[in-house]
Structure formats: C-alpha cells, structure tokens
C-alpha cells in the first residue's frame, strides 16, 4: 500500500513540474481542448505546442507552431485562388477565342501528301511528359482545391481514397516526368533557340488572329518556343522543389520547405494554364496540328502554312534522309 501511495505521489509531482515548465501552453491531450482554443491561447508570439520524439528529427515533435498559421492561410487563400483563376481563366479565354476565331483551318486545303515532322523517339518523349504532367497536375490540384470542391461532391470515403491514390501517383510519376523533361530538352533545344524569324512571327500574331496570314517559321515557331522554354524552366523548377518536398531533410528548416511548397504550387498553376492552351491549339484549335504528335506525319499544305521555312529545309535534304514521305510538289 505504501508503495502505491509513493507511486501516486511521484506521478502527481511529475505532473506539477511539467505544468510549471509548460507555463501558459495548452495541453493538447485534454479532451476539452479545441483547436480554436489552442490557437487563441498560443497567440502569435507564444511557443509551439510540442512533445518528445525518439527519432533524431526533433522537429517531428511539433504539434502546432503559431508561425505556421500565415503559411496555412496562404495555401487556403491566395494559392487556392490563383490556381483556380489560372486554370478556369485559361479555359474561359480559349472558349472565347474559339467562339470569335473558330477552328484555324488550312487555307489551301489538305493536299493528301505527308511530310515527317516527328519520329518515334520524339513522340515517345512528348507523350510520356504529357501523360505524367496531366496526372501530376490533377493530383496536385486536388491538394489545393480538393477539400472545397471535390470532397462535397463525392463524400469523405471516396475523397480519401482518391487523395491517397493521388499522393502515390504524384510521388512516383515525378521521376518519369523528370526523365522525359530531360529527353525533350536534348531532342529539341537546338530548334528552339530564338532568332530574328520569331520577331516577324510575333508581329503577325502567328497567323492565329486573322485568316490567310502565314508568317514564316522554322521547325518551331515563336509560340512553340515560348511553350518549350516554359515547360523546360517550369518543369525544372517543379522538379527541384518537388524533390525538396519529397525529402524535406535536404530542404532545411520548416520555413524552407514551406517556401518550396509555395513556389511549387505557383509554378504548377502557371504551367497548367500554358499547357491547357497548348492542348487546345494542338487538338480542336487547329486543323491538322494533332497529326504532328499522332502519326508523326503532317499534311504538306499545313506544314507550308505554319512552318514554311522548315519545309524548305526538309526539301533541300537528300532524298535518302527520308525527310519527305511523299513529294512536296
């Protein structure tokens, strides 16, 4: 009996010592404590609510850090708004452009003659990059707006399963995305160096705004070069910040990986808007454009109107190079 009383006394003494050391901190284990009351008690200048952990990373013991509230508000406010505006805004602009301009047709009509534009390796790299980016973008967007938009529509169970699958897909598909990005750079960088021809293309609006206008262009026009460098630079930014988020131990302090997460989200929103425009112009927006990455061969008249200088370069190559699958004349 005496031993039991001694044990109880020691426990009570330990609790008193802990309370004295914790001072004004809120005990997060109390059932009556709510998140709001903890934040209210903590205030902006209070210490973090933390426990003890047995692993080397002592920051893992942090339960609540008051200085994280600003970051959380940024994610649920500004980042969420910018992401929605970027995606929905671009879709709206393209819909308006389609209603005004319609589908861009081949003015001279399809010739039925084909010219090889992209080989198998080019198309493999493109579709690998495209497929992985789309899944990464959707799964990432779910983290930004999922709670507000998707959760009320499909319910907690379905949303939980969707988010768990999305996290796995996001983490693992990042690697083939980065490999395809590097391959795209190696394959196409030489044809995406800006030159004087691009200035004329820009002056004429790329021929997109007015029927019958066909500015000169090489294999990639100025608009495609903008997309190329946006994908390369934006993809590199996503890759670096993404790796830091996958391995936060390399990122540094919590403030560092919070910064990386914010940069990651902003780049993803901007690049998603650009890719939506690219998908539009390469599918419903322009007649004959999809063939470039579909079969790899495009109609000669389409090529002459949109990439006339490139066609001339291909025609000048020796026949054994196989640049033209059929005569251009």
């Amino acid at each position: 009996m005496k031993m039991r009383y001694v044990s109880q006394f020691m426990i009570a003494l330990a609790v008193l010592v802990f309370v004295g050391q914790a001072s004004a901190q809120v005990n997060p284990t109390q059932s009556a404590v709510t998140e709001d009351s903890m934040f209210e008690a903590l205030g902006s200048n209070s210490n973090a609510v933390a426990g003890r952990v047995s692993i080397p990373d002592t920051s893992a013991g942090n339960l609540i850090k008051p200085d994280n509230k600003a970051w959380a508000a940024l994610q649920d406010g500004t980042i969420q708004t910018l992401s929605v505006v970027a995606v929905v805004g671009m879709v709206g602009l393209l819909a308006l452009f389609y209603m005004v301009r319609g589908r861009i047709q081949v003015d001279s009509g399809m010739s039925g003659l084909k010219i090889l534009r992209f080989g198998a390796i080019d198309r493999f790299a493109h579709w690998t990059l495209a497929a992985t980016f789309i899944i990464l973008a959707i799964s990432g967007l779910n983290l930004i707006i999922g709670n507000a938009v998707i959760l009320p529509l499909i319910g907690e169970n379905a949303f939980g399963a969707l988010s768990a699958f999305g996290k796995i897909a996001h983490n693992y598909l990042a690697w083939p995305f980065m490999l395809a990005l590097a391959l795209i750079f190696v394959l196409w960088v030489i044809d995406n160096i800006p030159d004087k021809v691009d200035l004329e293309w820009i002056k004429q609006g790329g021929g997109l705004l007015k029927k019958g206008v066909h500015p000169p262009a090489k294999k990639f026009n100025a608009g495609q070069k903008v997309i190329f460098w946006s994908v390369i630079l934006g993809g590199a930014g996503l890759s670096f910040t993404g790796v830091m988020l996958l391995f936060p131990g390399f990122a540094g302090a919590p403030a560092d990986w919070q910064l990386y997460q914010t940069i990651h989200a902003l780049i993803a929103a901007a690049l998603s808007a650009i890719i939506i425009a690219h998908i539009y112009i390469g599918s419903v927006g322009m007649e004959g454009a999809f063939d470039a990455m579909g079969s790899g061969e495009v109609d000669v008249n389409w090529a002459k109107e949109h990439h006339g200088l490139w066609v001339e370069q291909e025609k000048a190559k020796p026949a054994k190079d196989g640049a033209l699958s059929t005569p251009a004349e």
Side-chain angles (χ1 to χ4, degrees):
M1 293 294 291
K2 289 182 178 182
M3 289 300 297
R4 187 178 70 176
Y5 292 138
V6 170
S7 299
Q8 292 176 347
F9 174 78
M10 293 300 294
I11 293 173
L13 180 61
V15 170
L16 289 175
V17 170
F18 173 79
V19 171
Q21 291 177 342
S23 102
Q25 290 192 31
V26 178
N27 181 3
T29 63
Q30 292 180 356
S31 59
V33 173
T34 65
E35 183 180 287
D36 290 338
S37 65
M38 281 195 290
F39 276 128
E40 182 180 353
L42 281 168
S44 59
N45 297 319
S46 300
N47 296 324
V49 175
R52 292 180 296 176
V53 293
S54 59
I55 60 177
D57 185 8
T58 56
S59 64
N62 290 326
L63 176 62
I64 295 176
K65 295 188 67 176
D67 54 356
N68 285 349
K69 290 190 291 183
W71 172 78
L74 176 66
Q75 306 309 305
D76 293 337
T78 304
I79 299 298
Q80 185 180 89
T81 300
L82 289 176
S83 299
V84 172
V85 169
V87 174
V88 177
M90 180 56 73
V91 172
L93 286 175
L94 292 173
L96 179 62
F97 179 79
Y98 184 82
M99 287 188 292
V100 174
R101 178 67 170 86
R103 193 181 195 198
I104 300 172
Q105 304 288 339
V106 177
D107 290 333
S108 56
M110 292 294 194
S111 67
L113 304 177
K114 298 290 184 177
I115 181 172
L116 180 64
R117 182 155 173 78
F118 292 113
I121 186 65
D122 295 284
R123 300 198 306 278
F124 170 79
H126 172 272
W127 287 118
T128 300
L129 189 69
T132 52
F133 178 81
I134 290 173
I135 297 174
L136 290 170
I138 293 175
S139 58
L141 190 63
N142 178 56
L143 297 177
I144 302 295
I145 66 171
N147 284 336
V149 178
I150 302 175
L151 175 59
L153 295 176
I154 65 177
E156 293 183 356
N157 292 336
F159 179 72
L162 177 66
S163 299
F165 175 77
K167 180 182 183 300
I168 295 173
H170 203 92
N171 290 348
Y172 285 97
L173 289 180
W175 304 104
F177 169 82
M178 287 186 278
L179 290 175
L181 183 70
L183 183 57
I184 285 288
F185 177 79
V186 172
L187 289 172
W188 296 348
V189 64
I190 191 64
D191 292 313
N192 278 280
I193 304 299
D195 55 33
K196 294 181 180 180
V197 175
D198 298 325
L199 295 177
E200 184 61 30
W201 190 92
I202 294 173
K203 288 180 181 179
Q204 299 187 38
L208 303 177
L209 304 178
K210 186 177 180 181
K211 183 178 176 63
V213 177
H214 306 294
K218 297 181 180 179
K219 185 168 186 177
F220 294 98
N221 58 44
Q224 291 168 327
K225 290 179 180 180
V226 169
I227 293 175
F228 173 84
W229 288 110
S230 297
V231 170
I232 294 299
L233 297 178
L238 289 175
S239 299
F240 174 74
T241 54
V243 170
M244 291 298 101
L245 294 174
L246 279 173
F247 306 101
F250 295 107
D256 295 317
W257 62 256
Q258 288 175 2
L259 176 62
Y260 288 136
Q261 193 277 337
T262 301
I263 295 174
H264 192 84
L266 291 174
I267 294 176
L271 195 55
S272 294
I274 293 172
I275 294 303
I276 289 173
H278 174 62
I279 293 173
Y280 165 80
I281 204 68
S283 55
V284 299
M286 178 181 288
E287 181 185 17
F290 181 80
D291 293 341
M293 280 300 167
S295 65
E297 294 184 331
V298 295
D299 190 88
V300 170
N301 283 352
W302 179 92
K304 286 181 178 180
E305 292 185 6
H306 298 291
H307 301 276
L309 297 178
W310 170 70
V311 174
E312 294 302 318
Q313 292 173 346
E314 293 299 296
K315 287 169 60 178
K317 291 181 179 180
K320 63 180 180 180
D321 287 356
L324 291 170
S325 59
T326 56
E329 302 294 343

